[in-house]
Amino acid sequence: MHGNPMPDSYVYVTEEGVTRHYSDGSVEALAWEDVVEVRVVTEAGEDVLYILLDRDGEGCVVPRSATDATFLARLRYLPDFDLDRLALAADSAHDGVVVVWRSPDPPSALPDLEYD
């Protein structure tokens, strides 16, 4: 049988939040109202990752390849979210992690996370 291979994950964006379903059955989900930070992870030769975090440092990893206009439009509802800053970070030639948005009322500190 020929066809497209199964993707590693699916991302669903709704008015309530974002959910990523992995091929191994695991799920990451975060309600928009719980998002307190948005990070962009870039690494040469890899897909850009958008990391949405809640107050406990838990969240949802969204590959740029899985985003669409709905995801970007929904990010604009975060207070003072700057889509230009997001685009600059995502298109950066430098490998690393950039915080592109924090809630006006963020937690005292979010943990540094390891990315695979």
Side-chain angles (χ1 to χ4, degrees), residues 6-67:
M6 279 291 284
D8 291 340
S9 64
Y10 294 96
V11 175
Y12 297 101
V13 177
T14 66
E15 288 296 315
E16 290 77 35
V18 61
T19 304
R20 183 175 180 188
H21 295 266
Y22 290 87
S23 59
D24 67 3
S26 61
V27 176
E28 293 176 343
L30 188 60
W32 291 115
E33 66 188 25
D34 295 333
V35 175
V36 298
E37 188 169 289
V38 178
R39 298 177 183 180
V40 174
V41 179
T42 55
E43 187 175 328
E46 298 293 326
D47 198 358
V48 172
L49 301 175
Y50 302 127
I51 314 295
L52 309 176
L53 297 170
D54 67 12
R55 292 186 176 283
D56 297 324
E58 299 292 321
C60 190
V61 177
V62 179
R64 178 165 64 177
S65 61
T67 64

Short mmCIF file of all heavy atoms in Angstrom, two decimals, residues 6-67:
data_model
loop_
_atom_site.label_atom_id
_atom_site.label_comp_id
_atom_site.label_asym_id
_atom_site.label_seq_id
_atom_site.Cartn_x
_atom_site.Cartn_y
_atom_site.Cartn_z
N MET A 6 2.30 8.25 8.21
CA MET A 6 1.59 8.90 9.32
C MET A 6 2.46 10.02 9.88
O MET A 6 3.64 9.81 10.12
CB MET A 6 1.31 7.90 10.45
CG MET A 6 0.11 7.03 10.22
SD MET A 6 -1.40 7.97 10.32
CE MET A 6 -1.54 8.17 12.07
N PRO A 7 1.91 11.20 10.08
CA PRO A 7 2.70 12.26 10.70
C PRO A 7 2.99 11.92 12.16
O PRO A 7 2.29 11.11 12.77
CB PRO A 7 1.79 13.48 10.59
CG PRO A 7 0.42 12.94 10.38
CD PRO A 7 0.56 11.59 9.74
N ASP A 8 4.04 12.54 12.69
CA ASP A 8 4.42 12.31 14.09
C ASP A 8 3.36 12.82 15.05
O ASP A 8 3.24 12.32 16.16
CB ASP A 8 5.74 13.01 14.42
CG ASP A 8 6.91 12.34 13.72
OD1 ASP A 8 6.77 11.18 13.30
OD2 ASP A 8 7.95 13.00 13.58
N SER A 9 2.63 13.85 14.63
CA SER A 9 1.62 14.42 15.52
C SER A 9 0.62 15.25 14.73
O SER A 9 0.85 15.60 13.58
CB SER A 9 2.29 15.30 16.58
OG SER A 9 2.92 16.42 15.98
N TYR A 10 -0.49 15.53 15.38
CA TYR A 10 -1.52 16.41 14.85
C TYR A 10 -1.73 17.54 15.86
O TYR A 10 -1.72 17.30 17.06
CB TYR A 10 -2.86 15.69 14.69
CG TYR A 10 -2.86 14.61 13.66
CD1 TYR A 10 -2.65 13.28 14.02
CD2 TYR A 10 -3.08 14.91 12.32
CE1 TYR A 10 -2.66 12.28 13.07
CE2 TYR A 10 -3.09 13.90 11.36
CZ TYR A 10 -2.87 12.59 11.74
OH TYR A 10 -2.88 11.60 10.81
N VAL A 11 -1.95 18.74 15.36
CA VAL A 11 -2.21 19.89 16.22
C VAL A 11 -3.60 20.42 15.90
O VAL A 11 -3.94 20.61 14.73
CB VAL A 11 -1.16 21.00 16.02
CG1 VAL A 11 -1.52 22.24 16.83
CG2 VAL A 11 0.23 20.49 16.39
N TYR A 12 -4.40 20.62 16.95
CA TYR A 12 -5.74 21.18 16.81
C TYR A 12 -5.81 22.49 17.57
O TYR A 12 -5.44 22.55 18.74
CB TYR A 12 -6.80 20.21 17.36
CG TYR A 12 -6.83 18.91 16.61
CD1 TYR A 12 -6.22 17.78 17.13
CD2 TYR A 12 -7.48 18.81 15.38
CE1 TYR A 12 -6.24 16.58 16.44
CE2 TYR A 12 -7.49 17.61 14.67
CZ TYR A 12 -6.87 16.51 15.22
OH TYR A 12 -6.88 15.33 14.53
N VAL A 13 -6.31 23.52 16.90
CA VAL A 13 -6.47 24.83 17.51
C VAL A 13 -7.96 25.14 17.54
O VAL A 13 -8.64 25.05 16.52
CB VAL A 13 -5.72 25.91 16.71
CG1 VAL A 13 -5.94 27.29 17.32
CG2 VAL A 13 -4.23 25.59 16.64
N THR A 14 -8.44 25.49 18.73
CA THR A 14 -9.84 25.87 18.88
C THR A 14 -9.90 27.20 19.63
O THR A 14 -8.87 27.72 20.07
CB THR A 14 -10.63 24.82 19.68
OG1 THR A 14 -10.13 24.79 21.02
CG2 THR A 14 -10.52 23.43 19.04
N GLU A 15 -11.08 27.71 19.82
CA GLU A 15 -11.27 28.92 20.61
C GLU A 15 -10.86 28.69 22.07
O GLU A 15 -10.49 29.61 22.77
CB GLU A 15 -12.72 29.39 20.55
CG GLU A 15 -13.09 29.99 19.22
CD GLU A 15 -12.32 31.25 18.89
OE1 GLU A 15 -12.18 32.13 19.77
OE2 GLU A 15 -11.84 31.35 17.75
N GLU A 16 -10.95 27.44 22.52
CA GLU A 16 -10.64 27.13 23.92
C GLU A 16 -9.16 26.91 24.16
O GLU A 16 -8.65 27.19 25.23
CB GLU A 16 -11.40 25.88 24.38
CG GLU A 16 -12.90 26.07 24.51
CD GLU A 16 -13.60 26.07 23.14
OE1 GLU A 16 -13.18 25.33 22.24
OE2 GLU A 16 -14.56 26.83 22.99
N GLY A 17 -8.43 26.37 23.17
CA GLY A 17 -7.02 26.09 23.39
C GLY A 17 -6.37 25.38 22.23
O GLY A 17 -6.91 25.30 21.14
N VAL A 18 -5.19 24.84 22.51
CA VAL A 18 -4.42 24.12 21.50
C VAL A 18 -4.09 22.73 22.05
O VAL A 18 -3.79 22.59 23.24
CB VAL A 18 -3.16 24.90 21.07
CG1 VAL A 18 -2.22 25.14 22.23
CG2 VAL A 18 -2.44 24.24 19.92
N THR A 19 -4.16 21.72 21.19
CA THR A 19 -3.91 20.34 21.58
C THR A 19 -3.02 19.69 20.54
O THR A 19 -3.25 19.85 19.34
CB THR A 19 -5.23 19.55 21.68
OG1 THR A 19 -6.11 20.21 22.58
CG2 THR A 19 -4.99 18.13 22.17
N ARG A 20 -2.02 18.95 21.02
CA ARG A 20 -1.16 18.19 20.11
C ARG A 20 -1.27 16.72 20.47
O ARG A 20 -1.02 16.33 21.61
CB ARG A 20 0.28 18.66 20.21
CG ARG A 20 1.21 17.94 19.24
CD ARG A 20 2.60 18.50 19.29
NE ARG A 20 3.49 17.81 18.35
CZ ARG A 20 4.78 18.00 18.29
NH1 ARG A 20 5.36 18.89 19.08
NH2 ARG A 20 5.52 17.34 17.42
N HIS A 21 -1.65 15.91 19.49
CA HIS A 21 -1.76 14.46 19.65
C HIS A 21 -0.55 13.83 18.97
O HIS A 21 -0.33 14.03 17.77
CB HIS A 21 -3.04 13.93 18.99
CG HIS A 21 -4.28 14.43 19.63
ND1 HIS A 21 -4.92 13.71 20.61
CD2 HIS A 21 -5.00 15.56 19.45
CE1 HIS A 21 -5.99 14.39 21.00
NE2 HIS A 21 -6.06 15.51 20.32
N TYR A 22 0.22 13.05 19.73
CA TYR A 22 1.40 12.37 19.19
C TYR A 22 1.03 10.99 18.68
O TYR A 22 0.05 10.38 19.14
CB TYR A 22 2.48 12.25 20.28
CG TYR A 22 3.10 13.57 20.65
CD1 TYR A 22 2.53 14.39 21.62
CD2 TYR A 22 4.27 14.01 20.03
CE1 TYR A 22 3.10 15.60 21.96
CE2 TYR A 22 4.84 15.22 20.36
CZ TYR A 22 4.26 16.01 21.34
OH TYR A 22 4.83 17.22 21.67
N SER A 23 1.84 10.45 17.78
CA SER A 23 1.57 9.14 17.20
C SER A 23 1.63 8.02 18.24
O SER A 23 1.03 6.97 18.05
CB SER A 23 2.54 8.84 16.06
OG SER A 23 3.88 8.88 16.51
N ASP A 24 2.33 8.26 19.37
CA ASP A 24 2.39 7.22 20.42
C ASP A 24 1.17 7.25 21.35
O ASP A 24 1.10 6.50 22.31
CB ASP A 24 3.67 7.34 21.23
CG ASP A 24 3.75 8.61 22.07
OD1 ASP A 24 2.78 9.42 22.08
OD2 ASP A 24 4.79 8.81 22.72
N GLY A 25 0.22 8.15 21.06
CA GLY A 25 -0.99 8.24 21.86
C GLY A 25 -0.96 9.31 22.94
O GLY A 25 -1.98 9.62 23.54
N SER A 26 0.21 9.89 23.20
CA SER A 26 0.28 10.93 24.22
C SER A 26 -0.31 12.24 23.68
O SER A 26 -0.39 12.44 22.46
CB SER A 26 1.72 11.13 24.70
OG SER A 26 2.55 11.53 23.63
N VAL A 27 -0.73 13.09 24.60
CA VAL A 27 -1.40 14.33 24.24
C VAL A 27 -0.87 15.47 25.11
O VAL A 27 -0.65 15.30 26.31
CB VAL A 27 -2.94 14.21 24.46
CG1 VAL A 27 -3.64 15.53 24.18
CG2 VAL A 27 -3.51 13.09 23.61
N GLU A 28 -0.66 16.62 24.49
CA GLU A 28 -0.36 17.86 25.21
C GLU A 28 -1.50 18.82 24.89
O GLU A 28 -1.90 18.92 23.73
CB GLU A 28 0.94 18.50 24.72
CG GLU A 28 2.18 17.73 25.03
CD GLU A 28 3.42 18.38 24.42
OE1 GLU A 28 3.30 19.23 23.50
OE2 GLU A 28 4.51 18.02 24.86
N ALA A 29 -1.99 19.51 25.89
CA ALA A 29 -3.07 20.46 25.66
C ALA A 29 -2.94 21.62 26.61
O ALA A 29 -2.45 21.47 27.74
CB ALA A 29 -4.43 19.78 25.85
N LEU A 30 -3.35 22.79 26.15
CA LEU A 30 -3.30 23.98 26.98
C LEU A 30 -4.43 24.91 26.57
O LEU A 30 -4.61 25.20 25.38
CB LEU A 30 -1.95 24.69 26.82
CG LEU A 30 -1.64 25.85 27.74
CD1 LEU A 30 -1.65 25.41 29.20
CD2 LEU A 30 -0.29 26.44 27.40
N ALA A 31 -5.20 25.36 27.55
CA ALA A 31 -6.26 26.34 27.30
C ALA A 31 -5.61 27.70 27.08
O ALA A 31 -4.62 28.05 27.73
CB ALA A 31 -7.22 26.40 28.48
N TRP A 32 -6.15 28.49 26.16
CA TRP A 32 -5.60 29.82 25.89
C TRP A 32 -5.57 30.67 27.15
O TRP A 32 -4.61 31.41 27.36
CB TRP A 32 -6.41 30.53 24.80
CG TRP A 32 -6.24 29.91 23.45
CD1 TRP A 32 -7.21 29.28 22.72
CD2 TRP A 32 -5.04 29.84 22.68
NE1 TRP A 32 -6.67 28.83 21.54
CE2 TRP A 32 -5.35 29.16 21.49
CE3 TRP A 32 -3.74 30.28 22.87
CZ2 TRP A 32 -4.41 28.92 20.50
CZ3 TRP A 32 -2.80 30.04 21.89
CH2 TRP A 32 -3.13 29.37 20.72
N GLU A 33 -6.57 30.54 27.99
CA GLU A 33 -6.62 31.36 29.20
C GLU A 33 -5.50 31.02 30.18
O GLU A 33 -5.19 31.81 31.07
CB GLU A 33 -7.98 31.23 29.89
CG GLU A 33 -8.25 29.85 30.43
CD GLU A 33 -9.66 29.68 30.94
OE1 GLU A 33 -10.56 30.40 30.50
OE2 GLU A 33 -9.85 28.82 31.82
N ASP A 34 -4.87 29.85 30.02
CA ASP A 34 -3.78 29.44 30.90
C ASP A 34 -2.40 29.76 30.37
O ASP A 34 -1.40 29.59 31.08
CB ASP A 34 -3.87 27.93 31.18
CG ASP A 34 -5.13 27.56 31.95
OD1 ASP A 34 -5.65 28.42 32.70
OD2 ASP A 34 -5.60 26.42 31.81
N VAL A 35 -2.31 30.22 29.13
CA VAL A 35 -1.00 30.53 28.53
C VAL A 35 -0.42 31.77 29.21
O VAL A 35 -1.06 32.81 29.28
CB VAL A 35 -1.12 30.77 27.01
CG1 VAL A 35 0.22 31.20 26.42
CG2 VAL A 35 -1.63 29.52 26.31
N VAL A 36 0.82 31.64 29.73
CA VAL A 36 1.51 32.78 30.35
C VAL A 36 2.82 33.11 29.65
O VAL A 36 3.42 34.15 29.92
CB VAL A 36 1.78 32.57 31.86
CG1 VAL A 36 0.48 32.41 32.63
CG2 VAL A 36 2.72 31.41 32.10
N GLU A 37 3.26 32.22 28.73
CA GLU A 37 4.50 32.49 28.03
C GLU A 37 4.51 31.75 26.71
O GLU A 37 4.00 30.63 26.61
CB GLU A 37 5.70 32.07 28.87
CG GLU A 37 7.04 32.48 28.28
CD GLU A 37 8.18 32.28 29.25
OE1 GLU A 37 8.28 33.02 30.24
OE2 GLU A 37 8.99 31.35 29.01
N VAL A 38 5.11 32.40 25.68
CA VAL A 38 5.29 31.78 24.38
C VAL A 38 6.77 31.88 24.04
O VAL A 38 7.36 32.96 24.08
CB VAL A 38 4.45 32.48 23.28
CG1 VAL A 38 4.71 31.86 21.91
CG2 VAL A 38 2.97 32.44 23.62
N ARG A 39 7.37 30.72 23.73
CA ARG A 39 8.78 30.65 23.35
C ARG A 39 8.89 30.12 21.93
O ARG A 39 8.04 29.36 21.48
CB ARG A 39 9.54 29.71 24.28
CG ARG A 39 9.54 30.13 25.73
CD ARG A 39 10.26 29.12 26.59
NE ARG A 39 10.20 29.51 28.01
CZ ARG A 39 10.73 28.81 28.99
NH1 ARG A 39 11.36 27.67 28.74
NH2 ARG A 39 10.65 29.23 30.23
N VAL A 40 9.97 30.51 21.26
CA VAL A 40 10.29 29.99 19.94
C VAL A 40 11.63 29.29 20.04
O VAL A 40 12.60 29.86 20.55
CB VAL A 40 10.35 31.12 18.88
CG1 VAL A 40 10.83 30.57 17.54
CG2 VAL A 40 9.00 31.78 18.73
N VAL A 41 11.69 28.04 19.56
CA VAL A 41 12.92 27.26 19.57
C VAL A 41 13.35 27.05 18.12
O VAL A 41 12.57 26.54 17.31
CB VAL A 41 12.72 25.90 20.26
CG1 VAL A 41 14.01 25.09 20.24
CG2 VAL A 41 12.22 26.08 21.68
N THR A 42 14.58 27.46 17.81
CA THR A 42 15.12 27.27 16.47
C THR A 42 16.40 26.45 16.55
O THR A 42 17.19 26.60 17.48
CB THR A 42 15.43 28.61 15.78
OG1 THR A 42 16.29 29.38 16.61
CG2 THR A 42 14.16 29.40 15.51
N GLU A 43 16.56 25.56 15.58
CA GLU A 43 17.77 24.75 15.46
C GLU A 43 17.96 24.45 13.98
O GLU A 43 17.02 24.05 13.30
CB GLU A 43 17.60 23.45 16.26
CG GLU A 43 18.86 22.63 16.32
CD GLU A 43 18.70 21.41 17.22
OE1 GLU A 43 17.96 21.48 18.21
OE2 GLU A 43 19.33 20.40 16.90
N ALA A 44 19.18 24.66 13.50
CA ALA A 44 19.48 24.47 12.08
C ALA A 44 19.00 23.10 11.60
O ALA A 44 19.25 22.09 12.23
CB ALA A 44 20.97 24.62 11.83
N GLY A 45 18.29 23.10 10.48
CA GLY A 45 17.84 21.86 9.89
C GLY A 45 16.62 21.24 10.54
O GLY A 45 16.17 20.17 10.12
N GLU A 46 16.09 21.86 11.56
CA GLU A 46 14.93 21.32 12.27
C GLU A 46 13.74 22.27 12.12
O GLU A 46 13.91 23.45 11.83
CB GLU A 46 15.24 21.15 13.77
CG GLU A 46 16.36 20.18 14.05
CD GLU A 46 16.02 18.74 13.69
OE1 GLU A 46 14.85 18.34 13.83
OE2 GLU A 46 16.94 18.02 13.26
N ASP A 47 12.55 21.75 12.35
CA ASP A 47 11.35 22.57 12.33
C ASP A 47 11.39 23.55 13.50
O ASP A 47 11.85 23.20 14.60
CB ASP A 47 10.11 21.68 12.44
CG ASP A 47 8.82 22.37 12.01
OD1 ASP A 47 8.86 23.56 11.64
OD2 ASP A 47 7.77 21.70 12.03
N VAL A 48 10.93 24.75 13.29
CA VAL A 48 10.80 25.73 14.37
C VAL A 48 9.68 25.26 15.29
O VAL A 48 8.64 24.78 14.83
CB VAL A 48 10.47 27.13 13.80
CG1 VAL A 48 10.14 28.11 14.90
CG2 VAL A 48 11.62 27.63 12.93
N LEU A 49 9.90 25.38 16.60
CA LEU A 49 8.90 24.98 17.57
C LEU A 49 8.38 26.20 18.32
O LEU A 49 9.16 27.04 18.76
CB LEU A 49 9.49 23.99 18.58
CG LEU A 49 10.05 22.70 18.00
CD1 LEU A 49 10.70 21.88 19.09
CD2 LEU A 49 8.97 21.90 17.28
N TYR A 50 7.06 26.27 18.48
CA TYR A 50 6.43 27.26 19.34
C TYR A 50 6.06 26.54 20.62
O TYR A 50 5.38 25.51 20.59
CB TYR A 50 5.17 27.84 18.69
CG TYR A 50 5.42 28.49 17.34
CD1 TYR A 50 4.69 28.12 16.23
CD2 TYR A 50 6.39 29.48 17.20
CE1 TYR A 50 4.91 28.73 14.99
CE2 TYR A 50 6.61 30.08 15.97
CZ TYR A 50 5.87 29.70 14.88
OH TYR A 50 6.10 30.29 13.66
N ILE A 51 6.50 27.06 21.75
CA ILE A 51 6.24 26.44 23.04
C ILE A 51 5.28 27.35 23.82
O ILE A 51 5.61 28.51 24.09
CB ILE A 51 7.54 26.28 23.88
CG1 ILE A 51 8.67 25.69 23.04
CG2 ILE A 51 7.26 25.48 25.14
CD1 ILE A 51 8.45 24.29 22.54
N LEU A 52 4.12 26.84 24.15
CA LEU A 52 3.14 27.57 24.94
C LEU A 52 3.18 26.99 26.35
O LEU A 52 3.07 25.78 26.52
CB LEU A 52 1.73 27.41 24.37
CG LEU A 52 1.57 27.71 22.87
CD1 LEU A 52 0.15 27.41 22.43
CD2 LEU A 52 1.95 29.13 22.56
N LEU A 53 3.35 27.86 27.36
CA LEU A 53 3.50 27.38 28.73
C LEU A 53 2.45 27.97 29.66
O LEU A 53 2.01 29.11 29.48
CB LEU A 53 4.88 27.75 29.27
CG LEU A 53 6.07 27.13 28.55
CD1 LEU A 53 7.36 27.77 29.01
CD2 LEU A 53 6.08 25.63 28.77
N ASP A 54 2.09 27.18 30.68
CA ASP A 54 1.20 27.68 31.74
C ASP A 54 2.04 28.07 32.95
O ASP A 54 3.27 28.02 32.93
CB ASP A 54 0.11 26.67 32.07
CG ASP A 54 0.63 25.39 32.74
OD1 ASP A 54 1.81 25.34 33.16
OD2 ASP A 54 -0.16 24.44 32.86
N ARG A 55 1.39 28.46 34.04
CA ARG A 55 2.08 28.93 35.25
C ARG A 55 2.99 27.88 35.89
O ARG A 55 3.92 28.22 36.59
CB ARG A 55 1.06 29.40 36.29
CG ARG A 55 0.34 30.64 35.88
CD ARG A 55 -0.55 31.17 37.00
NE ARG A 55 -1.15 32.41 36.60
CZ ARG A 55 -0.52 33.58 36.58
NH1 ARG A 55 0.72 33.67 36.96
NH2 ARG A 55 -1.15 34.67 36.19
N ASP A 56 2.71 26.61 35.63
CA ASP A 56 3.52 25.54 36.22
C ASP A 56 4.64 25.07 35.29
O ASP A 56 5.33 24.11 35.60
CB ASP A 56 2.62 24.34 36.56
CG ASP A 56 1.58 24.70 37.61
OD1 ASP A 56 1.89 25.49 38.52
OD2 ASP A 56 0.44 24.19 37.50
N GLY A 57 4.78 25.73 34.14
CA GLY A 57 5.81 25.34 33.19
C GLY A 57 5.38 24.18 32.31
O GLY A 57 6.16 23.64 31.54
N GLU A 58 4.12 23.77 32.43
CA GLU A 58 3.56 22.72 31.57
C GLU A 58 3.01 23.40 30.33
O GLU A 58 2.62 24.56 30.35
CB GLU A 58 2.44 21.98 32.29
CG GLU A 58 2.89 21.27 33.55
CD GLU A 58 3.81 20.10 33.27
OE1 GLU A 58 3.57 19.37 32.29
OE2 GLU A 58 4.77 19.93 34.03
N GLY A 59 2.92 22.65 29.25
CA GLY A 59 2.36 23.30 28.09
C GLY A 59 2.23 22.41 26.89
O GLY A 59 2.06 21.20 26.99
N CYS A 60 2.35 23.05 25.73
CA CYS A 60 2.13 22.39 24.47
C CYS A 60 3.19 22.87 23.48
O CYS A 60 3.41 24.07 23.34
CB CYS A 60 0.72 22.74 23.96
SG CYS A 60 0.20 21.77 22.55
N VAL A 61 3.83 21.91 22.81
CA VAL A 61 4.83 22.19 21.79
C VAL A 61 4.14 22.12 20.43
O VAL A 61 3.54 21.11 20.09
CB VAL A 61 5.99 21.17 21.85
CG1 VAL A 61 7.00 21.44 20.75
CG2 VAL A 61 6.64 21.19 23.23
N VAL A 62 4.26 23.20 19.65
CA VAL A 62 3.58 23.27 18.36
C VAL A 62 4.64 23.51 17.27
O VAL A 62 5.25 24.57 17.24
CB VAL A 62 2.54 24.40 18.33
CG1 VAL A 62 1.86 24.48 16.98
CG2 VAL A 62 1.52 24.23 19.45
N PRO A 63 4.88 22.53 16.39
CA PRO A 63 5.81 22.75 15.28
C PRO A 63 5.25 23.78 14.31
O PRO A 63 4.04 23.79 14.04
CB PRO A 63 5.91 21.39 14.60
CG PRO A 63 5.27 20.41 15.53
CD PRO A 63 4.34 21.18 16.40
N ARG A 64 6.12 24.65 13.81
CA ARG A 64 5.64 25.66 12.85
C ARG A 64 4.98 24.99 11.65
O ARG A 64 4.00 25.51 11.11
CB ARG A 64 6.78 26.58 12.40
CG ARG A 64 6.30 27.59 11.37
CD ARG A 64 7.22 28.74 11.13
NE ARG A 64 8.50 28.32 10.57
CZ ARG A 64 9.44 29.18 10.22
NH1 ARG A 64 9.26 30.48 10.37
NH2 ARG A 64 10.58 28.74 9.73
N SER A 65 5.48 23.83 11.24
CA SER A 65 4.91 23.13 10.08
C SER A 65 3.46 22.70 10.32
O SER A 65 2.74 22.42 9.37
CB SER A 65 5.76 21.91 9.72
OG SER A 65 5.78 21.00 10.80
N ALA A 66 3.04 22.67 11.58
CA ALA A 66 1.67 22.27 11.92
C ALA A 66 0.76 23.46 12.16
O ALA A 66 -0.40 23.28 12.52
CB ALA A 66 1.68 21.36 13.15
N THR A 67 1.27 24.67 11.98
CA THR A 67 0.45 25.85 12.24
C THR A 67 -0.22 26.33 10.96
O THR A 67 0.19 26.01 9.87
CB THR A 67 1.29 27.01 12.83
OG1 THR A 67 2.26 27.43 11.87
CG2 THR A 67 1.95 26.61 14.13
#
